[in-house]
Amino acid sequence: MVSKNQIKLITSLQQKKYRQIHQLFIAEGVKVIQELLNANFELDHLYETTTVFENLIPEKKTLISESDLKKISCLSTPNNCLALFQIPNKKRSVENGLIVVLDDIRDPGNLGTIIRLCDWFGIEQLVCSEQTVDVYNPKVVQATMGSISRVSLSYLDLEKYLAKSKLPIFGTFMDGKNVYHEDLPKEGILVLGNEANGISDKLEKLVTTKLAIPRFGNLQQTESLNVATATAIFLSEFRRK
């Protein structure tokens, strides 16, 4: 049974303001929840329609009905479990290896997919502008499929961050150099821009090398690639070289 106060708290966590107030976020589904538990994220409480996580202490979980799960779930088709986790303390970003920087990414699905891509390609540092969608947005958490537990993510003033960096800064642009022809380093910063407007002018000035994915279609009329798709191509090239 879920009380009215619990429903009110859980549904409020769909908004960033209340996630910050309570320092809690929502995770749904066995895979995502298990990944977070394995990574030692601190569980606040688990709600499940059937007993899935048998090793958890009884005080940390509640057996609920499917109708109650629908009331608290962020999904149109709920899974069989939903958990609340405490938001971990912020980690200081470390400047080594290949770092991905996101300038004003607004779509939760895009951010979640990019986090999964970073996990896949072994990118440990993901730095976001302060305007980028919140990593603990339930749709972002869901889209990461657990990769949120293995990628360190920071929200910073990107202009200050890039200005101080000693690493080469690569920016993604339509008119940049062909990424397939460039000699790409093992260490550096890869900047990707907003879904509609690309990289902002203030950050463009700090980019040392502009990169582009060439279009191969005969008509050359495709406006742009989805930012998550572009991220996959760029990271693949950096790792291949």
Side-chain angles (χ1 to χ4, degrees):
M1 182 72 177
V2 186
S3 70
K4 289 183 179 180
N5 285 339
Q6 287 172 318
I7 292 172
K8 185 177 179 180
L9 168 64
I10 297 166
T11 55
S12 76
L13 296 177
Q14 296 183 33
Q15 297 179 53
K16 182 179 179 180
K17 177 176 75 171
Y18 292 106
R19 290 194 293 273
Q20 291 176 333
I21 291 172
H22 299 290
Q23 287 297 293
L24 295 172
F25 71 96
I26 297 168
E28 297 194 58
V30 175
K31 177 175 173 53
V32 178
I33 293 171
Q34 189 63 64
E35 292 275 10
L36 293 171
L37 290 172
N38 292 345
N40 295 318
F41 274 66
E42 189 167 347
L43 177 69
D44 181 78
H45 205 82
L46 172 75
Y47 301 88
E48 54 187 355
T49 56
T50 57
T51 302
V52 179
F53 297 92
E54 296 182 354
N55 295 330
L56 296 178
I57 60 174
E59 293 78 9
K60 286 283 185 177
K61 59 183 182 178
T62 300
L63 196 64
I64 63 173
S65 66
E66 290 185 6
S67 61
D68 277 343
L69 182 61
K70 287 180 181 179
K71 293 176 184 177
I72 60 176
S73 175
C74 306
L75 305 174
S76 54
T77 305
N79 268 289
N80 58 353
C81 50
L82 178 151
L84 304 185
F85 284 93
Q86 292 190 16
I87 293 176
N89 294 328
K90 294 179 181 178
K91 295 181 181 178
R92 188 172 64 87
S93 59
V94 180
E95 195 169 81
N96 57 38
L98 183 59
I99 300 168
V100 172
V101 166
L102 302 180
D103 180 19
D104 197 18
I105 299 301
R106 296 300 181 96
D107 182 84
N110 282 337
L111 178 57
T113 301
I114 290 170
I115 292 170
R116 287 183 71 188
L117 288 167
C118 286
D119 187 19
W120 182 269
F121 286 103
I123 308 299
E124 296 179 0
Q125 298 283 329
L126 180 59
V127 179
C128 299
S129 67
E130 292 163 335
Q131 295 75 34
T132 292
V133 62
D134 179 26
V135 64
Y136 296 112
N137 178 306
K139 292 180 180 179
V140 176
V141 175
Q142 198 68 24
T144 70
M145 293 301 292
S147 290
I148 189 176
S149 66
R150 292 181 290 274
V151 178
S152 178
L153 190 145
S154 305
Y155 287 84
L156 302 173
D157 182 321
L158 294 187
E159 192 172 8
K160 291 180 180 178
Y161 172 75
L162 295 178
K164 290 180 180 177
S165 177
K166 296 178 181 178
L167 294 174
I169 301 171
F170 298 85
T172 56
F173 295 87
M174 293 295 290
D175 59 349
K177 297 178 180 179
N178 187 331
V179 68
Y180 301 126
H181 297 164
E182 290 301 297
D183 186 17
L184 303 172
K186 290 184 178 180
E187 289 201 328
I189 294 174
L190 175 64
V191 184
L192 296 113
N194 174 265
E195 291 90 342
N197 303 313
I199 294 172
S200 61
D201 292 341
K202 64 181 181 180
L203 297 190
E204 181 178 353
K205 296 172 184 176
L206 298 168
V207 169
T208 51
T209 303
K210 293 183 178 181
L211 297 175
I213 300 167
R215 288 180 291 188
F216 293 96
N218 291 330
L219 297 178
Q220 300 283 297
Q221 290 181 352
T222 306
E223 183 180 332
S224 63
L225 285 174
N226 168 274
V227 65
T229 302
T231 301
I233 295 170
F234 282 115
L235 291 182
S236 178
E237 284 302 297
F238 269 91
R239 289 312 194 202
R240 188 174 69 86
K241 299 291 177 65

